[in-house]
Amino acid sequence: GGGEEEVAAAMAEGEGLVSVDYEVSGKVQGVFFRKYTQGEAKRLGLVGWVQNTSHGTVQGQIQGPTARVRELQEWLRKTGSPQSRISRAEFSNEKAITALEHKDFQILK
């Protein structure tokens, strides 16, 4: 995996904005996972969306200041809603953005 050090260094320095997609597997549907994710994202001042997929996972996108996005990623990996059981959280398509592409954090049907 070349180039990971440079990416990590670049992320550590600025409070730039990032966008990252996520998918959470486990017991995450029917346990208010989306509602809690929205609440946590709003608490952190992040924007994006969350939705249930047809194959039993929850997916979405997070955008905001890097450090805050990291906090929500950690929350999606370990915490979730009180009744959820997270087996895996995967993050992809991470990129630096110059402006937020969403107005708020929405639950999509």
Side-chain angles (χ1 to χ4, degrees), residues 33 36 40 71-86:
F33 197 90
Y36 276 87
E40 190 68 10
E71 284 188 56
L72 190 59
Q73 285 179 298
E74 193 70 0
W75 184 91
L76 286 166
R77 219 180 247 123
K78 301 204 165 111
T79 309
S81 66
Q83 270 112 37
S84 67
R85 291 285 174 273
I86 299 163

Side-chain angles (χ1 to χ4, degrees), residues 35-52:
K35 182 168 169 271
Y36 276 87
T37 301
Q38 182 188 47
E40 190 68 10
K42 289 193 165 180
R43 189 180 72 77
L44 291 167
L46 300 171
V47 302
W49 52 273
V50 59
Q51 70 178 22
N52 284 343

Side-chain angles (χ1 to χ4, degrees), residues 17-89:
L17 298 173
V18 294
S19 172
V20 64
D21 297 341
Y22 62 90
E23 183 167 12
V24 185
S25 313
K27 186 189 167 195
V28 293
Q29 290 192 3
V31 291
F32 302 105
F33 197 90
R34 293 171 301 168
K35 182 168 169 271
Y36 276 87
T37 301
Q38 182 188 47
E40 190 68 10
K42 289 193 165 180
R43 189 180 72 77
L44 291 167
L46 300 171
V47 302
W49 52 273
V50 59
Q51 70 178 22
N52 284 343
T53 69
S54 57
H55 51 276
T57 65
V58 168
Q59 67 174 18
Q61 186 176 70
I62 316 163
Q63 294 187 350
T66 308
R68 300 290 182 150
V69 169
R70 293 278 171 269
E71 284 188 56
L72 190 59
Q73 285 179 298
E74 193 70 0
W75 184 91
L76 286 166
R77 219 180 247 123
K78 301 204 165 111
T79 309
S81 66
Q83 270 112 37
S84 67
R85 291 285 174 273
I86 299 163
S87 59
R88 194 166 76 240

